[in-house]
Amino acid sequence: MRVDPLKKSIWVFHLNTGSCNACDIEILDALTPYFDVERFGIKLVASPRHADLVLLTGPITRKTLPKVINALRAVPRPRYVLAIGACAVGGGIWYDTYSVIGGVEELKKILEENGIEIDRIVYVPGCPARPEAIIYGVAVLLGLVEQKVHGEVKIAE
Amino acid sequence: MSVEEILDIIREKLGGIAEDIRYVESAGIIVRVKPVNLREASHIVHDVLDAYFRTMMAVDERPINNTFAAYYVYGLDDKGINIIIETHADPYTPVLPSIADIVPAADWYELEAWDLLGIRFKDRKLYRFVLPDDWPEGLYPLRKDVDYTARPSPRITYKPPLQGPRLPVGPYHPALHEPEYFELFVEGERVVDVEYNGFHVHRGIEKLAESPRFTYQKVPFLAERICGICGFVHSVAYTLSVENAAKIEVPERAQYIRSIVLEVERLHSHLLWLGVACHLLGYDAGFMHSWRIREKVMVLAELLTGSRKTYGINLVGGVRKDINMDKITAIRNTLAWLRSEFAKLADLVTSVPQIVRRARGTGVLPRDEARKLSVVGPVARASGLDRDVRRDYPYCAYKDVSFRVPVYTEGDNLARLMVRVEEIFESMDIIDQLLDKLPGGSIMAEKIEVPEGLIGIGNVEAPRGEDIHVVITGRGRPYRWRVRAPTYQNIPALKVMLRDTPLADAPLTIASIDPCFSCTDRIVVIDLKTGKKEKLQTVSIPGGCGCEI
């Protein structure tokens, strides 16, 4: 499936998969007067069915996993995910504990087994990610700024 | 009253059933009883001595003394001393009597000990509580012979919705935002019962701290990530418990810096809550103003510690960042600005009829119920319980400052709002006093050695209430670290607050305890008469406090 870039105001859905809330309050910070992303048309919506972009925060815990899968299934295509914070990016400090699946990469594998495709993931690292970084991540997704780091593995000779 | 006098009273009351009574300075008076006498001892301590139930720690002590141990921590608030009932269960089939009917607040602790350690409690219903439903039977992650990476592969099962008018339908249907889940049973517009399904944010922190990945000095950083809103509280509580256990002398200046950062954190957390409460009542102007003011506090936190959240300045023995004159000036400027701005906002919020009339008389928690459930923090203070850990069990630099503890007797949502508004003003005064008295000297203890096998308790008054950590020291890292976040005590009180109240007040009442569930709360409403279900409202509640460790 060809993925068109988003052209209009993007509506975001906030999916907390087991986060400690630091990234979540920074998302809210971005929505409130100081950063005020609503002036760019970015709006928080309550249902994944209305969302253009999923803001995923936190490591994926075992208990939230079935709910996360259901939520992402409800997101219409193209399905974009902004993985916010160190935990969402790679599992963070919890990457190998008993009750956590890991970061968004592990989630992606499980989603593929369940037939759910994610069209693009943008990673916003940080613990917690700053509001500026979150806004930058959205700008990367929209193609307004260049992505700085790419997922290539370079091996030293 | 001195410790000796309290010991005499305890010897008199509990002497007949106790195997051993001893006083440990870092924790309190430890009374060891046999499991058969646990109920009687709990009754005497909780009801006769009127001690407040604070926490319970279950430990796998098989490598040490071949038993499972449980430590029930009670506090005598007016004397500032803990009474700990220690009991040991059989290593092969650990069974303890349940005390949930004597101490209602112990209910969750027993369920958690069953789930994570496999200690069975007699004469009560035990069910899966913390771990997910598909977790294999007989695998208890907090036991020492289970590796912290033991990760059984998840089975993704979809539960069919349950049938029948009196049953909750679909707790596991796309629950989306929220890692916590309430089910309200309603008759028409009135709530008749509440069910809570939580622990979605259980990340295995306590086990992780015992793993080889961590050392004493690394755990504070882990502790900060328990909660993204009041994380510093957890790291201070952890460091206090280790310092108490090992008797590490922390320099005064470090204690002052900790207290200042704790109060800055309280400011941001209460402002956050106030905004959310306004938002829930449909008063978005108040929400935006509150967050506009809060942003200055975040900038101040960044100046003081280097980050907006998860400050990372705390270590066992002291802090990593000092405060210089520039920073003191910046704090004073911010406080002056904050005082005038917040006074305006507080005036507005406490006079707007759409807030006052919705908050007054709703979500009432009577004093006796509050006492029974051992609620903490603003929830307790709004129900007439005069408790504040900063005053009752002084830590850091709080013994050097004077402040008022706001107490209201109404127990409704307005009282909880007023407690928090007043605490913001008190916090600003406390920071001012701390800055005036800030002593010189170093910020890190010189000698940090933690011997093995000691018990230490650290408590901190978090924005949401009393946060208490219990540590048993081990080699290089804690042997057992028990975290009890404030919301853990407060959520059971929601059952009382929500019962027989109008449905429309439910979101505010749930938010009024400043709950731990992260971000968005979704409530499924089930009509008992028709069996119809609907989603009540999806609201962004940045209320979290990762209570689920």
Side-chain angles (χ1 to χ4, degrees), chain A residues 13-22 24-26 28-29 31-35 38 44-49 59 61-67 69-71 73 92-102 110 114 127-128 130-132, chain B residues 129-132 134-135 141 148-152 154 156 158 172 175-177 179 198-205 207-208 213 222 225-229 272 287-288 291 294-295 302 308-310 516 518-519 522 538 540 542 544-546:
Chain A
F13 172 69
H14 177 196
L15 184 65
N16 179 330
T17 61
S19 148
C20 74
N21 283 312
D24 312 60
I25 60 170
E26 294 295 44
L28 237 87
D29 217 294
L31 292 162
T32 46
Y34 193 82
F35 292 99
E38 285 192 7
L44 198 66
V45 291
S47 166
R49 292 179 211 285
T61 61
R62 283 180 60 113
K63 211 162 182 172
T64 53
L65 181 66
K67 296 153 206 192
I69 292 173
N70 279 353
R73 183 176 281 138
I93 205 165
W94 335 101
Y95 71 96
D96 59 352
T97 65
Y98 63 87
S99 62
V100 168
I101 303 293
I110 297 171
N114 285 272
C127 186
R130 298 176 61 92
E132 293 96 326
Chain B
F129 185 59
V130 176
L131 296 170
D134 63 331
W135 190 267
Y148 78 102
T149 53
R151 198 185 270 176
I156 295 150
Y158 297 104
Y172 286 105
L176 322 170
H177 271 264
F199 290 88
H200 292 79
V201 196
H202 178 75
R203 289 154 293 176
I205 293 178
K207 183 75 178 179
L208 195 56
R213 271 175 57 197
L222 180 65
R225 281 152 183 83
I226 289 173
C227 169
I229 297 175
L272 178 153
F287 171 49
M288 292 295 176
W291 280 67
R294 177 181 168 274
E295 188 59 32
E302 185 172 8
R308 292 163 58 90
K309 271 315 305 167
T310 46
C516 273
S518 313
C519 263
R522 173 163 299 212
T538 54
S540 303
C545 165

